[in-house]
Amino acid sequence: TRTPVNVTVTGAAGQIGYALLFRIASGQLLGQDTPVRLKLLEITPALKAAEGTAMELDDCAFPLLSGIDISDDPNVAFDGASVALLVGARPRTKGMERGDLLEANGGIFKPQGQAINNHAADDIRVLVVGNPANTNALIAQQHAPDVPADRFTAMTRLDQNRAYSQLAAKLGVTVSDIRKLVIWGNHSATQYPSLAHAEVNGKNAAEAVNDQAWLENDFIPTVAKRGAAIIEARGASSAASAANAAIDHVYDWVNGTAEGQWASAGVVSDGSYGVPEGIISSFPVTSTGGEYEIVQGLDIDEFSRGRIDASVAELVEERDAVKGLGLI
Ligand code: NAI
């Protein structure tokens, strides 16, 4: 039997944690031949709730779950981790300025980056879910100088999955008829879900839609504002769909993207497509198992250029803000 892979989940007692942990333990994160050991990180007041979730995980008797550790110390929780899902974050509360939000999250993601640097396994792969995800990922990455920068990623897969669903409904097809529909930029309202290179049953998606007004006034805002629509409807933010996207992101990263498919992920820019080097921005990516690589050589039309530039400008502002606060 294979040795278990250590998977660290932060914010384990939160609502995404509750939707995520059972799927990891059932083998959906890494595959049905890989046993996992869960390492849960929570803040001290939430440790008891995390223990309750661990009791339920025990009660599932998952054959692939080899153990659960719970801690409020990042140095313990990231010890030996090969996969880290950074879900816990400080949400924006009423009246909170952006600077306060970034500062509060810097207080979380800086020590976590340091703990990953000092304690994680050599093959560590990090997915940041907690918002502002791209910039939180940047903060953690900047405090882990011994870890290759491309091991730090931010989640835009939920946005991609939302886009798949919206496009399928518009065209009366199923999501499996769609390929290469991806998100560029920030996981925020400025994100750019792009039909430019997407395919529907082998045909270009933008041509299949043939409706620029729908694209600009309906599709893009619906995808970008879906999080708010879920809160409005459910009275709570997306949790199961966010957990599902985290599973998709890591599964594809580790096992490879399907033939002819692209994924979306916030990855450290190498300067591709004019995105400044070093910021964590969403790109179309592929993996053959282990590394996400930015899809190269795409033509960027004028409309796409404007949208990508606007979202990237926001990321640059966020980076400069955290720099100004001394967080990176
Ligand atoms: P939640 O509030 O239910 O749970 C967050 C948990 O994190 C809480 O249990 C809290 O105690 C814990 N936590 C806070 N600080 C921590 C720290 N320093 N170390 C460890 N744990 C800590 O929130 P929920 O719904 O689970 O969402 C978590 C994050 O995911 C939020 O920031 C949310 O905005 C973000 N999110 C991101 C999405 C994406 O597409 N990238 C989609 C949906 C949510």
Side-chain angles (χ1 to χ4, degrees):
T1 55
R2 293 181 58 178
T3 36
V5 173
N6 290 322
V7 177
T8 301
V9 178
T10 78
Q15 51 151 6
I16 294 175
Y18 195 75
L20 182 59
L21 292 167
F22 298 86
R23 296 191 58 185
I24 298 172
S26 73
Q28 294 178 59
L29 186 78
L30 298 174
Q32 294 302 328
D33 55 354
T34 309
V36 293
R37 182 171 191 94
L38 282 169
K39 299 176 68 77
L40 313 185
L41 180 68
E42 258 297 350
I43 53 173
T44 316
L47 284 176
K48 189 152 183 244
E51 278 161 22
T53 304
M55 288 163 69
E56 282 202 75
L57 284 160
D58 284 340
D59 294 350
C60 293
F62 288 118
L64 288 172
L65 182 59
S66 78
I68 309 170
D69 308 317
I70 306 173
S71 179
D72 57 4
D73 180 351
N75 296 315
V76 174
F78 291 111
D79 189 39
S82 291
V83 177
L85 301 170
L86 310 193
V87 178
R90 176 68 205 275
R92 190 192 283 258
T93 43
K94 225 177 163 179
M96 199 177 195
E97 298 294 332
R98 193 182 63 163
D100 301 332
L101 179 76
L102 293 173
E103 190 145 33
N105 279 294
I108 295 173
F109 288 88
K110 177 178 168 180
Q112 291 186 2
Q114 290 167 332
I116 287 167
N117 191 65
N118 297 334
H119 301 285
D122 286 344
D123 64 350
I124 180 69
R125 287 183 171 73
V126 182
L127 168 62
V128 176
V129 175
N131 282 317
N134 300 56
T135 297
N136 287 341
L138 179 68
I139 294 170
Q141 183 270 320
Q142 290 286 310
H143 292 284
D146 302 333
V147 177
D150 64 3
R151 304 291 185 77
F152 284 84
T153 62
M155 191 166 93
T156 53
R157 186 61 176 260
L158 176 55
D159 307 298
Q160 173 183 316
N161 288 344
R162 287 166 170 166
Y164 264 76
S165 230
Q166 294 299 321
L167 181 63
K170 167 76 175 169
L171 293 175
V173 300
T174 66
V175 290
S176 49
D177 296 322
I178 303 172
R179 288 166 179 236
K180 302 184 175 175
L181 172 50
V182 292
I183 309 296
W184 296 78
N186 199 1
H187 168 68
S188 76
T190 67
Q191 65 176 264
Y192 174 46
S194 174
L195 295 189
H197 305 96
E199 296 166 6
V200 177
N201 289 318
K203 243 185 106 183
N204 177 269
E207 284 167 23
V209 169
N210 193 25
D211 185 348
Q212 184 69 14
W214 176 80
L215 173 70
E216 286 182 42
N217 306 326
D218 211 328
F219 175 70
I220 294 174
T222 298
V223 172
K225 293 178 188 160
R226 185 72 166 179
I230 298 287
I231 293 173
E232 180 65 30
R234 208 173 82 87
S237 59
S238 319
S241 55
N244 178 68
I247 299 268
D248 286 348
H249 177 115
V250 173
Y251 187 90
D252 281 358
W253 193 2
V254 172
N255 295 295
T257 40
E259 181 65 33
Q261 276 286 15
W262 297 344
S264 308
V267 297
V268 176
S269 176
D270 58 358
S272 294
Y273 301 104
V275 178
E277 219 174 313
I279 66 167
I280 297 192
S281 187
S282 187
F283 288 95
V285 295
T286 56
S287 168
T288 52
E291 322 288 338
Y292 268 143
E293 287 178 45
I294 298 171
V295 175
Q296 293 296 333
L298 301 174
D299 284 331
I300 305 297
D301 60 41
E302 204 183 313
F303 177 74
S304 300
R305 185 77 265 162
R307 293 289 176 143
I308 294 169
D309 288 351
S311 195
V312 165
E314 183 183 51
L315 283 170
V316 168
E317 258 178 53
E318 288 182 17
R319 179 203 58 196
D320 292 347
V322 294
K323 218 179 227 175
L325 290 164
L327 296 171
I328 60 171

